[in-house]
Amino acid sequence: MLLDAASMYFRAFYGVPESITAPDGTPVNAVRGFTDMVARLINDHRPARLVACLDLDWRPAFRVNALPTYKAHRVPGEPETAPPGVPEEVPDALAPQVPVLLQVLAAAGIATAGAEGYEADDVIGTLAARERTHPVLAVSGDRDLMQIVTDDDPGVRLLYVGRGLAKAELLGPAEVAEKYGVPRARAGEAYAEMAMLRGDPSDGLPGVPGIGAKTAATIVGRYDTWAELLAAVSDPSDTRMSPNVRTKLAKAADYLAVVEPVVRVARDADVVLDRDDTLPVEPADGAKLLELVERWGIGGSVERLLQALQNAARSR
């Protein structure tokens, strides 16, 4: 199980009232919500191994250099062409909670992983691509990770929690194909290509003007690769592409030439894990965990996490 940690703790922060506080009145809603989410995921899915994947660079230089608008609207007080390296805007009440929830994971013995210059999506994509033993379940509210689903042995699925854990969707190639109208045989790759054409305002991807999701899926379904699709833009003899669509794509040629590495999840990031990723049975540092419980008043959430670890151990 590969967790998109930032995606989850942002959702925990907005899903749990800030009135949930430590004994000194400091908000701990994200800490408690995130810890409870991890406990529930372990209980529901009983993974043998688990990694919380981190954003060491939420807006990597290689993506910004290719497309300067990438996530630029999320940079506080910066223009649309904000350079890479600017910190992400995080709510004041959330920022101090992130180190605490990472301390909880460390004391519990749950592995975290990151890669310098890459986002959590890339960490997840890389670890999923490396896996040769266990089926992989990625957990995220980021649709970009739909591109990593595969039926190839041992298989990769996405538990999409964009509408919360209670309404989570388990997605594989069949589900992505049905949901977006892309070919099942290459549903993950095709989803990424559809996203390139359609665009995504939440990531600052303009897309191709006049090409919506359905048209994008139709176009992608007619080609076996992104390179083949791009070649058709300058080939009027390719009847799989209508003149109208060809004109729209030709006008967006500069964008289409650079967007692929922006959208594709990396599979070769230099990922570093802080510990073995086997799901622990007992806390790695019980004393530290007790200290965190007393300092932050998170005993109930930590107890549920520890119980989930024991439940998973019994099921193995």
Side-chain angles (χ1 to χ4, degrees):
M1 178 176 282
L2 302 173
L3 307 179
D4 183 349
S7 173
M8 288 174 57
Y9 63 63
F10 266 96
R11 277 164 176 77
F13 175 76
Y14 288 112
V16 179
E18 281 187 51
S19 57
I20 303 298
T21 61
D24 66 358
T26 304
V28 290
N29 54 324
V31 177
R32 285 179 54 175
F34 177 84
T35 305
D36 283 340
M37 288 174 76
V38 175
R40 179 172 172 181
L41 288 164
I42 293 170
N43 271 327
D44 288 351
H45 300 279
R46 307 294 171 96
R49 294 154 54 208
L50 185 143
V51 183
C53 301
L54 309 177
D55 274 327
L56 296 192
D57 192 336
W58 72 285
R59 196 166 172 262
F62 73 92
R63 290 192 168 106
V64 177
N65 291 338
L67 193 68
T69 59
Y70 181 65
K71 294 186 178 179
H73 60 292
R74 302 190 203 175
V75 179
E78 291 288 338
E80 286 241 327
T81 55
V86 178
E88 183 177 16
E89 187 170 23
V90 177
D92 291 343
L94 171 59
Q97 295 188 61
V98 175
V100 178
L101 62 87
L102 293 178
Q103 289 171 26
V104 170
L105 291 176
I110 293 174
T112 60
E116 292 294 338
Y118 290 91
E119 301 176 61
D121 285 4
D122 303 310
V123 176
I124 291 171
T126 297
L127 292 178
R130 287 181 187 175
E131 183 57 34
R132 297 292 182 268
T133 306
H134 293 96
V136 173
L137 180 63
V139 182
S140 177
D142 189 338
R143 291 179 299 175
D144 289 341
L145 281 167
M146 292 182 189
Q147 66 184 273
I148 73 169
V149 300
T150 178
D151 284 328
D152 295 344
D153 190 34
V156 179
R157 296 291 183 268
L158 172 67
L159 190 68
Y160 178 66
V161 295
R163 296 188 301 157
L165 199 53
K167 297 180 179 179
E169 300 175 78
L170 183 61
L171 304 175
E175 291 77 17
V176 170
E178 181 177 359
K179 192 177 184 72
Y180 293 100
V182 295
R184 176 175 175 171
R186 60 184 207 95
E189 289 184 4
Y191 175 82
E193 292 161 12
M194 182 201 74
M196 295 179 210
L197 296 176
R198 176 198 63 197
D200 187 346
S202 69
D203 279 344
L205 299 177
V208 177
I211 301 295
K214 289 185 178 179
T215 302
T218 299
I219 298 168
V220 166
R222 293 174 178 167
Y223 298 91
D224 293 329
T225 66
W226 180 247
E228 185 182 338
L229 188 158
L230 290 184
V233 177
S234 56
D235 181 6
S237 69
D238 190 327
T239 58
R240 293 171 293 179
M241 186 175 290
S242 72
N244 182 44
V245 166
R246 180 173 284 111
T247 297
K248 290 177 180 177
L249 268 58
K251 289 181 179 178
D254 290 346
Y255 163 76
L256 294 175
V258 301
V259 70
E260 186 173 14
V262 178
V263 172
R264 297 276 193 206
V265 169
R267 311 298 176 92
D268 59 353
D270 187 12
V271 175
V272 177
L273 280 81
D274 71 336
R275 68 187 66 232
D276 180 82
D277 63 6
T278 301
L279 194 71
V281 177
E282 300 291 340
D285 189 340
K288 178 63 176 178
L289 203 53
L290 181 58
E291 176 189 323
L292 292 167
V293 164
E294 293 177 347
R295 167 67 179 86
W296 299 106
I298 53 174
S301 295
V302 168
E303 173 131 7
R304 287 186 284 274
L305 176 61
L306 296 181
Q307 185 62 58
L309 295 178
Q310 292 177 12
N311 293 342
R314 284 195 292 268
S315 70
R316 291 202 287 271

